[in-house]
Amino acid sequence: MPRKGSTSQIPSTEDSPMSSRSTLSRKRKRSTTDIDSGAESFDDAGDEDGGGDRRRMPGVKRACNECRQQKLRCDVVQDPFSECSRCRRLRLECKIESSFKRVGKRSRNAEMERELIELRRQLGTSVQNSPESSHPPPLRVPSVPVETPCVQQVPRRHDHYRGSEDVITSLLDLKQGLNGGGYVEHLNGPAPGTRIIENVAVSPGQIVSLFARYFTYYHPLLPLLDPTKTPDYYYNSSPLLFWTILSTASRRYEPEPTLLDALAPAVSRLIWSTLREIPQSYHVVKALCLLCTWPSPISTTSADPTFMLSGVMMHVAMQIGLHRPSYAQDFARFQVQLRDEDLRDRVRTWAACNIVSQCVGTGYGQRPSSLYDWTLEHGPSKDASYRLPDELRNRVQIEKFCDKVTRSLYSNRNDPVGLTKDDERYSLCNLLVRDFEELEAQLGQEISVIDILHLRAAELHLRLSTFFDSPTSESYHHDLFKLYSATTAFLSHLLSLETSEGGLMIHATNYILQMTVAGGFTLHKLLNSFFAKHVNLGEGIAIFHRTIRAIRKISVKDNDLPARLAEVLAQLWRAAGAGVARGRNNTPHSTNTTERDASLMLKRQLRTPPTPPRPRHQPQQIHPTDPIWLHKFHTPLHQPSTIPPADQHQA
C-alpha cells in the first residue's frame, strides 16, 4: 500500500488479479458478441476478425430470430426476402426483428416451471369438478367413442412451438419425457388428465373405470390397497403401482380388449427401471405383490419372472424395514414421521408380502422366502395398529400352515429332491392333519368364500404327498381316499364361484390357477388307475371336464399358459383312456384293497430325461420344479389324439 502523496509504479496487467479478471470478463463478452454477430451476419463476423478475407454473401444482413435464439448460422436473404433453410426444413416462422433479444435458458425454464405448476393446478381443479369424476361410470361401461379412444398413440413432439400448450409439452419432454405420465395437453393429442406410459395414453374416464373394476373383481382376492384412495394418490405414491393396477384391471376389459397387450411390455420395462434405482418407497412393494399375484400373460414357464420377483419383493420389503414397522427411521435415508394410518398400512403390506411369497412358493414347488415374525403374530395384547383385518389375518394363518407343510415334508437336506423319509413322512402327515383340523376350527364357519377356497387349497397341498407313499403301506387306500376327497372339495368350491357375484373364478390368481391344474392332474391319475373302481367314476369325470373348462376360462389370451395347460391335460386324458377302461364295473367307495399297484407312486428322478422330438401339432410340455409337477408333465403320450378346440369346452 503506497503512502499518501508518494508515487509508485502501476503493476502490469499480468501481475494484477483485478486486471486479470477484467480481462477475462472482456474476453467472455467479446466471444459472446462474436457468436451473436456470427449468427447475425457473415460480413460482420468477417470484419470483426480483421479481415475482408471471407467472401461477402450478397443480400445477407443478419440472422433470423430462430437462428439467433439458437446461435446458429443463418442463410436468410432479406432483400428480396427468402426464408432460411433451417426454418424451411423445420417449418418454423422465419422473420427478422430489430427488437428481438435472446432469452436465457435459466429464465426461460423458470418461467415455464411457473406456467407448468399453474397449469397442473387448473387441470386438477377442472378434473375434480367435472361430472365424470363426481359420478364414476358403472363397471361395464360402454365402448369409448372413436374420436376419444382409450389407447392412443401419443404424437411425436414437433420442433415448432405454438402457444403455451406446446411450451408446457416441451418442458415435460425436457424433464421427464413423454413416458413420465404427466398431464399433457397437445393439439390432436391426449385430453387433459390423461396418463401416459411410453406411447400408450389412458383417458381419465377409463382410469376411473379400470380402478372400479380392480376393486370390484381383483381386490377381494388380495385385500391390500385402500379403495377410498383416488387414482392420483396411487400415481403420486408410485407410478409403478398405478400402472400395475391398470394393467391388472385390463385383463378382461371389454371396452378396450387390446389395452392389456399395449400396457404389458411398457409396465415390464417400468418394473426393471424402478428396481434399478433401488426403491425407497414401500408402495413399490405393493406393486410387486400385485405383479406376483396376477402376472402378465405368458406362453411358457421359461419366460415367467414371478418367482424371481417374489424374492425381490421380500428383500426390498426388508430393506425398507416393513418387518419392523415401528422402526422405519432406522431403514430410511430421510426423516420419517409415522402416523397410525401409515403404521397400519406398513403392517398390511408386510402381511401381503408373506401371503404372496408363500403362494408363489407353493404354486411353483419352491421353498418360499416368507418370514412370519412377531409383526404377524395374532394376539389380543397387541397394539391396534398391528392388528390385521379379518381377511388378511385369516390368509396369514392359512399360508403359515402351507409353509409348515412345505418345510416339514419337502425340505429334507439329506434327500436329492428334499423329501422326508417314508417312515418320518407318515408321522409328520398325521401331525399336520391335526394342525389343519385345529386351523379349520379356529377360523370357524363365518369366513369368506375366498378364505374357504384357500383353506381347501392348503388341504390339497398337504394331501398331495400321498403320491410319494409306498403302495405297501397299511393306510395307502385311506390316504388315497383323503387325497381324492381334498381334490374334489377344492375343485367343487372353485367351480361354485363361477356363477357367484363378481365372477371370482375367471379373475382367479396365479396361485389358484396352479392349484387347479394340480387338482386336474390328480383326478387324471386317480381316475385312470386301479383306484377308479372305488369311487363314483361318473361324478369324477364330470368334475374333471369342468376343471378343464375352468382353466380355459381363467385364460386371458389365446395360447397363454392356462390355455396350453388345459390342452395338455385334455390330451393326456384321452391318451390314458379317458377313465373308461379302468372304471368298468366299479363299485363306488369300495373297501377292497386286494388290487393295488405302484402306478400312482411318483418316481423321483435325479436327472431330467432327454425330451424326444415334438411333433408340430403337439403343445410344448412344461417342466416345473416340484417333483409332483415334474412327474405329471413327464407322463408320456401313448397315442396321438386330436385336441378339442377351446370354444367347445370339452376335455
Side-chain angles (χ1 to χ4, degrees):
M1 184 76 181
R3 296 180 181 178
K4 185 177 181 180
S6 63
T7 60
S8 61
Q9 185 178 0
I10 300 176
S12 62
T13 57
E14 290 82 357
D15 300 332
S16 174
M18 295 296 294
S19 61
S20 300
R21 285 194 293 270
S22 61
T23 302
L24 292 174
S25 177
R26 286 195 300 272
K27 287 182 178 180
R28 289 196 202 99
K29 291 180 180 179
R30 186 165 61 241
S31 62
T32 305
T33 306
D34 292 344
I35 294 174
D36 288 338
S37 62
E40 294 173 5
S41 172
F42 290 117
D43 55 340
D44 293 341
D47 294 342
E48 285 184 10
D49 290 338
D53 296 333
R54 299 183 181 180
R55 296 181 59 185
R56 177 170 178 172
M57 298 182 65
V60 177
K61 297 299 182 183
R62 59 186 303 171
C64 67
N65 296 351
E66 295 290 342
C67 293
R68 290 185 66 189
Q69 175 65 31
Q70 301 297 331
K71 294 184 179 181
L72 298 175
R73 287 188 176 274
C74 181
D75 57 358
V76 65
V77 179
Q78 188 172 4
D79 189 17
F81 183 80
S82 176
E83 60 183 8
C84 66
S85 58
R86 179 174 176 270
C87 293
R88 189 184 310 110
R89 175 171 53 86
L90 300 179
R91 297 182 182 180
L92 303 176
E93 183 180 2
C94 185
K95 60 182 179 179
I96 300 175
E97 295 177 349
S98 58
S99 60
F100 175 80
K101 291 184 179 180
R102 292 184 65 256
V103 180
K105 291 183 179 180
R106 294 184 180 180
S107 59
R108 182 183 61 180
N109 290 347
E111 179 65 23
M112 294 168 72
E113 286 278 4
R114 289 191 291 269
E115 292 183 7
L116 177 61
I117 294 173
E118 178 63 21
L119 182 60
R120 281 182 172 173
R121 185 188 65 80
Q122 295 177 3
L123 288 175
T125 304
S126 62
V127 170
Q128 292 177 1
N129 298 333
S130 64
E132 193 175 58
S133 61
S134 58
H135 302 284
L139 291 180
R140 295 186 178 274
V141 295
S143 299
V144 186
V146 177
E147 59 271 13
T148 57
C150 171
V151 182
Q152 307 178 22
Q153 294 296 325
V154 179
R156 294 182 180 272
R157 172 176 169 253
H158 298 286
D159 291 325
H160 60 285
Y161 303 95
R162 290 181 291 180
S164 59
E165 300 172 351
D166 295 310
V167 173
I168 298 301
T169 304
S170 66
L171 180 59
L172 289 174
D173 273 346
L174 178 64
K175 296 192 66 178
Q176 63 188 25
L178 283 178
N179 60 348
Y183 290 103
V184 181
E185 183 178 2
H186 196 283
L187 298 178
N188 301 323
T194 299
R195 294 294 188 184
I196 303 174
I197 180 171
E198 293 186 0
N199 64 334
V200 182
V202 186
S203 65
Q206 296 299 321
I207 292 175
V208 174
S209 176
L210 287 169
F211 265 75
R213 287 185 62 87
Y214 172 81
F215 284 107
T216 301
Y217 299 124
Y218 297 94
H219 176 74
L221 295 168
L222 184 65
L224 169 60
L225 305 181
D226 188 356
T228 62
K229 301 296 184 181
T230 63
D232 288 339
Y233 167 82
Y234 286 107
Y235 182 83
N236 295 330
S237 300
S238 170
L240 177 60
L241 176 58
F242 174 84
W243 290 110
T244 301
I245 296 173
L246 293 189
S247 178
T248 303
S250 64
R251 293 168 68 89
R252 300 183 182 276
Y253 191 51
E254 296 178 0
E256 191 59 51
T258 61
L259 180 58
L260 177 61
D261 293 334
L263 285 177
V267 173
S268 178
R269 286 185 286 270
L270 182 60
I271 294 171
W272 304 114
S273 63
T274 302
L275 296 178
R276 184 171 60 245
E277 298 176 358
I278 313 299
Q280 301 298 326
S281 172
Y282 72 94
H283 295 283
V284 176
V285 179
K286 294 182 179 181
L288 294 176
C289 287
L290 301 186
L291 290 167
C292 293
T293 306
W294 293 280
S296 298
I298 55 174
S299 58
T300 175
T301 55
S302 60
D304 188 3
T306 304
F307 184 73
M308 177 174 56
L309 287 178
S310 67
V312 174
M313 172 192 68
M314 290 297 297
H315 287 89
V316 172
M318 296 181 66
Q319 181 172 337
I320 295 175
L322 290 183
H323 62 306
R324 301 290 183 266
S326 298
Y327 301 93
Q329 184 61 60
D330 298 342
F331 299 89
R333 301 183 304 178
F334 45 85
Q335 187 68 25
V336 178
Q337 296 180 354
L338 283 180
R339 300 173 298 176
D340 292 340
E341 180 183 0
D342 299 331
L343 183 59
R344 287 193 295 269
D345 193 25
R346 296 174 76 93
V347 173
R348 286 197 302 267
T349 306
W350 176 241
C353 282
N354 283 270
I355 292 172
V356 173
S357 176
Q358 185 64 51
C359 289
V360 171
T362 303
Y364 285 84
Q366 297 280 8
R367 185 169 180 174
S369 54
S370 52
L371 178 62
Y372 302 101
D373 55 357
W374 178 88
T375 305
L376 301 180
E377 288 296 330
H378 175 63
S381 60
K382 274 195 172 183
D383 185 81
S385 300
Y386 284 87
R387 295 177 185 172
L388 294 171
D390 292 340
E391 56 271 16
L392 280 180
R393 185 177 64 252
N394 294 340
R395 288 289 305 279
V396 168
Q397 298 301 319
I398 295 173
E399 300 310 325
K400 284 177 66 176
F401 173 77
C402 291
D403 178 68
K404 191 173 184 179
V405 172
T406 300
R407 297 180 188 275
S408 300
L409 302 180
Y410 304 108
S411 300
N412 183 12
R413 298 180 179 179
N414 299 322
D415 188 81
V417 293
L419 291 175
T420 56
K421 297 180 180 180
D422 295 342
D423 53 347
E424 295 179 0
R425 188 168 59 254
Y426 176 77
S427 302
L428 289 174
C429 285
N430 289 334
L431 294 176
L432 291 172
V433 168
R434 295 196 190 110
D435 291 342
F436 178 79
E437 293 173 352
E438 293 177 1
L439 174 63
E440 198 172 14
Q442 178 184 351
L443 296 178
Q445 302 295 329
E446 301 299 328
I447 58 176
S448 65
V449 294
I450 298 176
D451 292 338
I452 296 176
L453 179 64
H454 287 88
L455 188 63
R456 300 275 76 86
E459 183 183 14
L460 177 59
H461 177 49
L462 168 62
R463 295 296 182 180
L464 283 174
S465 62
T466 305
F467 280 125
F468 296 105
D469 293 344
S470 173
T472 59
S473 62
E474 297 180 358
S475 61
Y476 188 62
H477 254 75
H478 177 267
D479 293 339
L480 288 179
F481 272 114
K482 290 296 183 180
L483 171 61
Y484 181 80
S485 176
T487 303
T488 54
F490 168 74
L491 293 176
S492 298
H493 187 74
L494 173 69
L495 296 172
S496 67
L497 300 180
E498 182 178 3
T499 57
S500 63
E501 183 179 358
L504 293 176
M505 191 193 73
I506 63 175
H507 300 92
T509 63
N510 191 42
Y511 169 67
I512 295 300
L513 167 66
Q514 291 169 326
M515 296 305 295
T516 303
V517 174
F521 272 97
T522 300
L523 287 182
H524 161 68
K525 289 185 65 66
L526 293 177
L527 298 180
N528 288 283
S529 68
F530 67 91
F531 182 76
K533 298 181 179 181
H534 309 295
V535 295
N536 189 334
L537 185 62
E539 178 184 353
I541 293 177
I543 296 178
F544 180 82
H545 288 177
R546 294 181 63 192
T547 300
I548 292 184
R549 291 198 297 268
I551 297 174
R552 286 171 174 163
K553 289 185 177 181
I554 295 175
S555 172
V556 177
K557 57 186 299 186
D558 294 338
N559 201 38
D560 62 353
L561 196 56
R564 301 182 69 183
L565 287 172
E567 302 310 320
V568 170
L569 187 56
Q571 192 177 32
L572 293 177
W573 175 259
R574 282 194 177 89
V580 177
R582 294 283 187 175
R584 290 175 180 173
N585 301 323
N586 65 315
T587 303
H589 305 289
S590 172
T591 57
N592 183 14
T593 60
T594 57
E595 294 183 7
R596 63 175 65 179
D597 53 42
S599 60
L600 292 177
M601 185 178 180
L602 298 184
K603 300 176 178 58
R604 291 173 284 174
Q605 300 175 356
L606 301 182
R607 183 177 58 183
T608 303
T611 304
R614 175 174 57 92
R616 292 185 177 181
H617 70 277
Q618 294 182 3
Q620 179 184 359
Q621 297 186 11
I622 298 93
H623 305 275
T625 54
D626 185 14
I628 296 178
W629 287 66
L630 188 65
H631 180 85
K632 296 169 192 168
F633 287 101
H634 275 215
T635 303
L637 301 178
H638 301 291
Q639 58 185 9
S641 60
T642 304
I643 302 176
D647 54 358
Q648 295 181 6
H649 301 301
Q650 295 179 355

